[in-house]
Amino acid sequence: MSLVLHDLLACCRGLENDKATERKKETERFKRLIRSKEVIQELDRTSGTKAKSSSQLTWDAVFRFLQRYVQKETESLQSSKSNVTATTLATRQKKMAETCCLVKFFIRYANKRGPRLKCSELLRHVMEVLQSPFLCSAYGENYSSLLLKDILSVRKYWCDIPRQQWQSKWPLV
């Protein structure tokens, strides 16, 4: 594994840290690394190889780390007190928006040069969020936007969605 991907892997593992302050630091580092031309080139190279090994870091592997990050942030939200001040509520809403922004940021960077992520993984994650009452209330608006603007607007992804999934997820189609 190249040095830049090793740094990204360490950062992704940091996104799973139990401490919120550590996760926050890693989100900034994650954005900086994903913007790096070298990281993008390496992820494109490892994602493009036919025989991918489990030890390689690919766009899809990084997305799985992001899914676990969303899960950690959600657990943090769910474990916090429900009767709070307006300031605390505003802070939580800001944190939820930041979490969604990181996911959007990553998907946009991954797909900047053409679709790089597995459509099935993207849809599974988005639909999981939209079908869960708590997750939908926390992230629903942002994930609906993500679905429309960054997934369903990509023609290649249309072809990757099986007919049964179109009908089961969107029965009016």
Side-chain angles (χ1 to χ4, degrees), residues 20-112:
T21 53
E22 292 300 316
R23 288 193 307 268
K24 174 79 173 156
K25 279 193 276 185
E26 292 300 332
T27 60
E28 296 307 316
R29 184 173 163 216
F30 180 82
K31 288 178 188 176
R32 193 173 55 255
L33 285 168
I34 291 296
R35 285 186 188 110
S36 163
K37 187 176 182 177
E38 295 84 19
V39 169
I40 290 171
Q41 287 173 342
E42 282 296 309
L43 283 173
D44 284 350
R45 187 184 62 73
T46 59
S47 297
T49 59
K50 296 288 181 209
K52 297 173 189 159
S53 76
S54 60
S55 64
Q56 285 184 321
L57 194 60
T58 63
W59 286 108
D60 290 318
V62 174
F63 184 65
R64 285 189 290 277
F65 277 106
L66 268 184
Q67 289 177 56
R68 290 192 292 272
Y69 166 74
V70 171
Q71 185 178 6
K72 277 277 187 196
E73 291 300 326
T74 302
E75 288 169 2
S76 174
L77 284 171
Q78 285 179 315
S79 67
S80 53
K81 296 178 184 173
S82 57
N83 55 345
V84 293
T85 65
T87 306
T88 305
L89 188 59
T91 303
R92 283 185 192 166
Q93 288 173 333
K94 181 181 176 204
K95 185 64 183 165
M96 290 184 288
E98 287 172 357
T99 301
C100 291
C101 283
L102 187 64
V103 173
K104 269 188 198 180
F105 165 82
F106 174 75
I107 291 172
R108 287 182 180 159
Y109 258 84
N111 291 337
K112 211 173 203 175

Side-chain angles (χ1 to χ4, degrees), residues 52 60 64 116-123 157 160:
K52 297 173 189 159
D60 290 318
R64 285 189 290 277
R116 302 282 181 201
L117 299 166
K118 280 186 190 164
C119 179
S120 59
E121 282 294 309
L122 284 172
L123 278 179
Y157 287 155
D160 292 345

